[in-house]
Amino acid sequence: RCVMLNAARLDFDGRISWDKVKETVELTSHEISTDAEIVERVKGAEIVMNKEYPLPGKLIRSFPDSVKLICEAGTGYNNIDIEACREKGIALCNVPEYTTEAMGDYAITLVLALSCSLGAQMKALARGDRTYMQQCHLGQLPHFEIRDKTFGIIGGLGYIAQNITKKALALGMKVVASDVPTTPLGMRDNGVEVVTMDDLLKRSDFV
C-alpha cells in the first residue's frame, strides 16, 4: 500500500496520470496533509510518497513499522531527516533527473530575457507605454548578444547543471562552475571549467 501525502504539490495542473503507480501498488492519494494527518494516513502503508513537504525526525519516528520506503517525488531530499530514516530502517529514494530538461530550458530562457530586457519591455507595455515598440530600439535598456558571455553555475556538476552547460555552450557561451572545495579545479571534457567561488563571481556575466 502506498500513500501520497500531498498530490496537489506535484499535480498542480491536474494533468498527471497515476495509472502506472496504481498498476504497481494500492494508492491512496491526499491533496494536502498536515503533520497530524500524516501520522494517521501512513498507518498500514509500506510506501510514503511526498513532494517537498518537510518530514522531520520526530514525524518519521512516529511512523509505524509497516513503512519501508519514503519516495520523494523530486530531486532534492533535504526536507527529509535521513538519520531518522536509518533509525527506523526506512529506505529513501528520489527522482534525480526530475525536470532536468525543463530547468535547463528555464535557466537559458532567463538569460535570453535579460539579454534583450524582455521583462522591462513587458512591464512598460503592461502600463500602456508603447515607447519601445514605436521607436524600434531599446534606448537605455540593456541589449546584448550572449555569445562569449560567461555563465557561472554554483554547484555546477550535477544533472541539471550539466544540462544547462550543454545548452549554454551550444549558444556560444563560456561556462564556469564551482563545487565543493575538494573538487579539482580546471577544464572538464564537457567544456565547463571548474573554478573557485570567488573566481566564478569575478568572471561570470550570469550566475
Side-chain angles (χ1 to χ4, degrees):
R1 179 173 170 254
C2 174
V3 58
M4 174 60 183
L5 300 178
N6 53 346
R9 180 73 176 175
L10 184 65
D11 191 18
F12 53 87
D13 57 3
R15 295 193 298 172
I16 289 181
S17 171
W18 300 94
D19 291 346
K20 290 291 185 181
V21 178
K22 291 177 180 178
E23 288 174 7
T24 308
V25 296
E26 177 189 338
L27 177 65
T28 301
S29 184
H30 303 279
E31 292 293 288
I32 301 173
S33 297
T34 64
D35 284 8
E37 290 172 330
I38 287 173
V39 173
E40 289 299 314
R41 289 172 175 176
V42 300
K43 289 180 178 179
E46 290 84 24
I47 303 170
V48 175
M49 194 182 303
N50 179 61
K51 175 61 174 172
E52 298 171 350
Y53 187 85
L55 298 179
K58 182 179 179 180
L59 186 58
I60 292 173
R61 292 183 181 97
S62 69
F63 284 8
D65 292 340
S66 62
V67 176
K68 301 301 181 185
L69 173 66
I70 296 176
C71 294
E72 176 60 33
T75 52
Y77 47 88
N78 54 302
N79 54 308
I80 299 171
D81 190 316
I82 298 176
E83 187 56 39
C85 288
R86 290 196 183 101
E87 290 176 17
K88 293 283 292 184
I90 300 174
L92 172 62
C93 70
N94 64 335
V95 189
E97 295 190 51
Y98 168 72
T99 71
T100 296
E101 283 295 330
M103 291 303 294
D105 292 347
Y106 183 53
I108 295 298
T109 297
L110 292 177
V111 169
L112 292 172
L114 289 169
S115 74
C116 62
S117 295
L118 182 60
Q121 292 189 70
M122 292 173 63
K123 288 179 180 178
L125 188 59
R127 295 193 303 266
D129 180 357
R130 296 177 176 269
T131 301
Y132 301 114
M133 299 177 68
Q134 294 167 349
Q135 66 189 24
C136 299
H137 62 79
L138 296 182
Q140 298 302 310
L141 292 178
H143 189 197
F144 50 85
E145 296 179 350
I146 63 172
R147 177 172 288 277
D148 293 326
K149 292 291 190 292
T150 299
F151 200 143
I153 308 177
I154 298 172
L157 299 179
Y159 287 112
I160 292 174
Q162 290 179 43
N163 188 269
I164 295 172
T165 294
K166 178 181 65 178
K167 297 175 190 294
L169 292 174
L171 292 171
M173 301 185 76
K174 300 171 184 176
V175 179
V176 295
S178 67
D179 201 55
V180 294
T182 54
T183 301
L185 304 180
M187 185 64 70
R188 296 297 180 89
D189 292 340
N190 64 348
V192 62
E193 183 182 358
V194 180
V195 299
T196 64
M197 174 67 82
D198 287 343
D199 197 19
L200 181 147
L201 296 176
K202 290 175 183 177
R203 293 170 55 181
S204 299
D205 296 291
F206 306 93
V207 178

